[in-house]
Structure formats: C-alpha cells, structure tokens
Amino acid sequence: MAKKEVNTKSKKIIPKKEKIKPLYGNKEKWLWGIIIFCFSFLIYSNALKNEYAFDDDVICMKNRFVQQGKAGLKDIFTKGFTVGFDGNNTGSYRPFTLASTALEVEFFGNNTTVHHFTNVFLFSLTCFVLFFTLSFMFKQYNILLPLLITLIYASHPIHTEVVANIKSRDEILSFMFFVFSLSTFVLYVPKKNFILLLFSMLFYFCALLSKENAFTFWVIYPLVYYTFFKSEKISQVLFSAIPFFLVFIIYMIIRRSVLDVMTFEGEMQLINNSLMAAKSSTDRFATAMMMMGKYLLLLIFPHPLSCDYSYNQVPIVSLFDIRAITSIVIYGLAVVYAIMKIRKQDIIAFGILFFLITMSITSNIFVKIGSSMAERFLFTPSLGFCIIIGFLLTKLYRGKLTEKLYISKTYFLLPFLLIILIAFSFKTYSRNKCWKNNDTLFFTDIKASPNSFRLQSAVGSNIR
C-alpha cells in the first residue's frame, strides 16, 4: 500500500509514490565483481612461475618481429601471424596478440613471469566484465544467475590450456574483446545510444584482430537481442546483426590484403589434423562428431586433460561407431530443443545455440582447420555450457529468481555449487603446474594422450 501524506494547506490527501527498488544495487554488483576477479586470479596464480612451454615460441623467443619490440609492430600489423616465426604468410592474422607480447619484450625483455601475469590478469578481467555483462543480460533475475555462470566459467579446468599457455593469449584477447563488445551492445539496445553501438563494433573488430575464431560472433548479437529483449520486432533483431557483419567484412578485406593464402587448406598436414586420414567425407563427419562428443565429456568431467589430441590420439571412425552415433543423437536432440524453445526466449536454448555457433568454426564439420581437436577451442563456446549449468543449478534455489536473493534459501544449492567449484578449482590449480615447461608438460600429457605422434616425438627428443 502506498503511504499517504496530508497537505496542510489544501487539506487534501496526496498519495506518496513508492520507488521500485532493483533486485540488487551497484555496490553489491561491484563487490561480487571484485570477488570474481580475485577468485579467477587466485586459481591461476601458480601459473606465474611457469616458463616457456609447448608452442610459446610462436609468439615469444623465436618470433623475430616480437623480439624487435616496438620496432616490430609495423611488420606485425602488415603480415600474417606466423611470418616472424616460420616465414609463412598464410592462414592467420592476429596482430593484437603479437603486439601485446612485443610490447612486453620492449619494456620487460623475455620475462616469462610478465607474459604469464598478463595472461592471468586478462583472464581475470574478462571474468570480471563477463559477470557485469551477464547481469545486464539477465537483469530480470536476481544476482544469483550471473554469479553462478561466471564462477563456473572462471573455475572450469578446460581453460587451463589457454590461460597457462602464453601462445593461447589469442583466445583470451578474442573472447575478452567479444565480452566487452557484448556488454556495450546490451547497454545500447534499450538506450539506442549510437556511441555505445560504435564502441561495441570497435570491440568486435579488436576480437577479430586477436583471433579469427571471432568469425562467427556476429551471429550472437541478434541471438542476444531476440532472447533478452522480448518486446522487440524480428526485423529489428535481424537488423542488429548488420553493423557487426559489416565489421566482419572490413576485417576480411584487410585479412585478404595481408595474407598470401587465406586458409590452411593448401598446407594441412596429417600430423596436425588426423581427419586428413579419413578415406571418405562420411568418415570425416563421423570422426568430427565423435570429437564433438569428447568435447562435451570434457566440459562435464574435465579429466584427464592434454595439450595435444593430434594424430593418432583420436582415430578415424565410421558412421556406425557407437561413439559417433551417440554424439550425433545428443547434438541432434539439442538442436531440435533449441529451435523449438528459442521462440520462447528459453535460456537453455540460448546456451545451446551460443555453444553451437561459436564452436562451428573449429569443429572441423563445416571447414577443415589446422588442428583436429584442442581444449583451447572450448574457451569461448564453454560459456554456453556454463549458462546451461548455471541456470539448471538455480532450480535448487528455494526462492524466486525474480525477487531479491536470500542466502537463507540457498541451502539446497550451496552443497552442489561448493562441490563443483572446489573440484574445478583444485583441478585447475594442479593442472597449471603441468604447464611449467616442456619436460613437465610432455611427460605428464603422454599419459593422457599415449597415441599422439607429436607427444611421443617430443618425449623422445627430451629423453635424448
């Protein structure tokens, strides 16, 4: 009931307007954001002691442009990703990634602690901004949902390859700029502030300049628009993709002018992508789908982890293989569910579509890439998985998500959440140690990937 106050002059009773309180305030949001940043940094803090490992040389010691520091920036922005390492101006254009390590070399030399600190800091910053972005997207719910999703994402062990591996900074930067872009986009939609749209487009361009995995991200913007801004017309939803598609086109024009060859197709090797051993397109599809099944298993139960899944760790299978059939059925049902439910702005459907769209570029289903399978390919798509798991966990909350969060009503949720976070954090922290150097990494991961030709060769070389 609205309170009433008496106007002593007119003797009339004037109703006093009540202010509608938000489900949570900015102070509470900032507090949780800082906690998430510290939590993310803490579970990767032991990676600061690591040295160079695996393919770090691509963007560090053996990249002549990076070793030139600021003087190498011109070549970095006008040539392909690996030119400074192997002289091949093909396949990739990721100047922001190389520029970041070049500037570190300029001011700090070849200091592995600085390189790893940057990775850990950028990841923690990404999780911080991700929480705020999700809170904008899920504004009709209390803080519990974006909090659960971000904590699960921050602690998930599948991300250790990216954060603990200096070379995989390209994944961090690409996803970080995408999150920045998405945060300004969800602010732009209700306000229609053109400046916010420009910043969102700029951040998306930066994501593309960090790694080409961002190719498919422009499709996510209309998906977000449709799912989280229910009152908008379909025409407006589709129109929202145009600015980002134009950014993508501009990037592709620049990329084409820089690279001699746009893809890896001409030089793809069996040792890197075992799918090249498939004798037919059906076998290649079946094997790629089996790998998609393995990705799902790693998201659910991230053990054991490996830095390499190349030839012949994942063998070629046929469409009659039970692993391929199971994966096809699971993903088929997921697609059907997403198509049926997205019309109702269903959160699980959104998570499924986010995963499938961002995973499509590295799945080897639609186009062959330079690797058959890698944990780093899940860095961005895993957010879709975390959204689904986070939303399902909220079902254990005894209160209403559309009302203020009451800790007293989380008694069913907390045990499950603590088990997940403790298990994931322990695995992440221990996995970071495996990336200390090549000796530690190769001798550890050969147990998880005993059939990997590359790991067998690396271990043999180190034994000598």
Side-chain angles (χ1 to χ4, degrees):
M1 294 292 292
K3 293 182 179 179
K4 298 180 179 179
E5 59 179 21
V6 179
N7 187 322
T8 55
K9 292 183 179 179
S10 62
K11 301 297 182 181
K12 291 181 179 179
I13 297 176
I14 304 171
K16 186 177 181 180
K17 293 182 179 180
E18 290 182 334
K19 293 182 178 179
I20 300 175
K21 295 182 180 180
L23 294 179
Y24 49 91
N26 287 329
K27 288 184 179 179
E28 185 181 0
K29 197 189 305 184
W30 275 93
L31 175 61
W32 280 113
I34 292 171
I35 291 173
I36 287 169
F37 179 92
C38 295
F39 172 71
S40 305
F41 197 96
L42 182 63
I43 59 176
Y44 280 99
S45 57
N46 60 336
L48 302 180
K49 301 177 183 179
N50 290 352
E51 304 162 13
Y52 293 119
F54 204 46
D55 50 2
D56 285 345
D57 284 339
V58 174
I59 68 167
C60 294
M61 289 289 290
K62 294 183 180 179
N63 191 303
R64 67 180 187 275
F65 298 152
V66 170
Q67 290 302 305
Q68 292 170 15
K70 289 192 300 183
L73 291 178
K74 180 180 178 181
D75 288 319
I76 285 173
F77 278 89
T78 57
K79 292 181 174 62
F81 182 57
T82 64
V83 176
F85 174 70
D86 59 13
N88 293 321
N89 192 32
T90 60
S92 301
Y93 179 60
R94 308 170 191 173
F96 271 25
T97 303
L98 294 178
S100 67
T101 50
L103 291 175
E104 288 169 357
V105 170
E106 175 72 24
F107 295 107
F108 303 101
N110 290 298
N111 190 322
T112 54
T113 300
V114 172
H115 292 322
H116 285 294
F117 175 85
T118 302
N119 270 27
V120 176
F121 176 82
L122 291 176
F123 176 73
S124 304
L125 178 62
T126 301
C127 292
F128 174 83
V129 178
L130 177 62
F131 169 70
F132 279 84
T133 305
L134 292 172
S135 69
F136 295 147
M137 291 166 59
F138 296 101
K139 60 184 177 181
Q140 70 270 38
Y141 300 108
N142 65 40
I143 203 169
L144 180 63
L145 183 54
L147 185 60
L148 288 178
I149 296 169
T150 310
L151 286 174
I152 295 170
Y153 182 87
S155 61
H156 204 297
I158 203 68
H159 301 147
T160 50
E161 176 180 0
V162 171
V163 185
N165 178 212
I166 301 170
K167 182 266 171 188
S168 288
R169 184 179 300 176
D170 48 13
E171 296 281 359
I172 300 177
L173 287 173
S174 182
F175 183 63
M176 181 189 75
F177 283 124
F178 174 57
V179 171
F180 285 0
S181 177
L182 208 54
S183 66
T184 49
F185 176 75
V186 296
L187 289 175
Y188 154 76
V189 173
K191 298 179 180 180
K192 295 297 185 289
N193 187 322
F194 187 66
I195 300 300
L196 289 173
L197 178 60
L198 286 178
F199 272 105
S200 186
M201 294 167 65
L202 176 62
F203 285 134
Y204 177 50
F205 186 60
C206 292
L208 287 164
L209 291 175
S210 299
K211 191 170 184 181
E212 55 277 354
N213 283 20
F215 281 178
T216 60
F217 292 178
W218 65 271
V219 183
I220 299 297
Y221 299 94
L223 179 63
V224 169
Y225 204 130
Y226 181 74
T227 307
F228 299 100
F229 299 91
K230 302 178 182 180
S231 62
E232 303 295 341
K233 298 178 181 179
I234 295 296
S235 58
Q236 291 176 311
V237 171
L238 296 176
F239 183 78
S240 68
I242 295 177
F244 302 97
F245 182 71
L246 291 176
V247 171
F248 170 70
I249 295 299
I250 292 171
Y251 166 78
M252 290 300 290
I253 292 172
I254 296 173
R255 177 185 169 90
R256 180 174 292 277
S257 67
V258 169
L259 299 178
D260 296 332
V261 180
M262 289 283 282
T263 67
F264 293 102
E265 293 283 350
E267 55 179 304
M268 199 177 300
Q269 297 178 354
L270 173 63
I271 191 174
N272 294 323
N273 191 333
S274 57
L275 288 168
M276 296 298 293
K279 296 180 179 180
S280 66
S281 58
T282 54
D283 286 354
R284 183 169 72 86
F285 173 75
T287 307
M289 286 304 303
M290 181 186 69
M291 291 178 183
M292 289 293 289
K294 290 179 71 67
Y295 280 131
L296 187 58
L297 284 175
L298 286 173
L299 285 172
I300 298 171
F301 189 74
H303 180 83
L305 298 176
S306 175
C307 65
D308 189 80
Y309 294 89
S310 60
Y311 184 81
N312 189 33
Q313 180 58 31
V314 183
I316 301 298
V317 299
S318 71
L319 276 175
F320 299 102
D321 189 282
I322 187 63
R323 293 166 294 181
I325 294 172
T326 303
S327 183
I328 291 171
V329 170
I330 290 174
Y331 279 100
L333 291 174
V335 169
V336 171
Y337 177 92
I339 293 174
M340 292 178 62
K341 293 291 186 177
I342 195 60
R343 298 176 183 177
K344 298 180 180 180
Q345 287 81 30
D346 184 84
I347 292 176
I348 293 179
F350 172 82
I352 291 171
L353 291 175
F354 184 96
F355 177 86
L356 294 176
I357 291 169
T358 55
M359 193 73 203
S360 62
I361 194 71
T362 55
S363 65
N364 276 295
I365 294 174
F366 304 102
V367 60
K368 288 180 286 186
I369 61 173
S371 300
S372 51
M373 180 179 175
E375 292 164 13
R376 62 184 179 274
F377 295 157
L378 286 170
F379 190 69
T380 297
S382 62
L383 176 59
F385 173 82
C386 294
I387 288 173
I388 295 171
I389 298 302
F391 182 72
L392 291 177
L393 282 175
T394 61
K395 301 298 182 182
L396 299 173
Y397 176 60
R398 298 295 90 184
K400 292 183 178 180
L401 283 177
T402 53
E403 297 177 355
K404 187 176 180 180
L405 173 64
Y406 294 98
I407 300 299
S408 60
K409 296 184 179 181
T410 61
Y411 50 89
F412 279 125
L413 169 63
L414 280 178
F416 286 92
L417 179 61
L418 288 175
I419 289 172
I420 292 173
L421 292 183
I422 291 173
F424 277 9
S425 299
F426 178 79
K427 176 64 178 179
T428 296
Y429 194 83
S430 61
R431 178 62 182 167
N432 293 334
K433 300 176 184 178
C434 300
W435 284 87
K436 179 177 177 57
N437 52 40
N438 282 338
D439 284 348
T440 306
L441 182 65
F442 295 154
F443 282 94
T444 300
D445 286 11
I446 193 65
K447 299 172 185 177
S449 298
N451 297 320
S452 167
F453 177 81
R454 290 175 62 183
L455 278 180
Q456 290 284 0
S457 299
V459 169
S461 299
N462 282 26
I463 290 177
R464 296 177 204 168

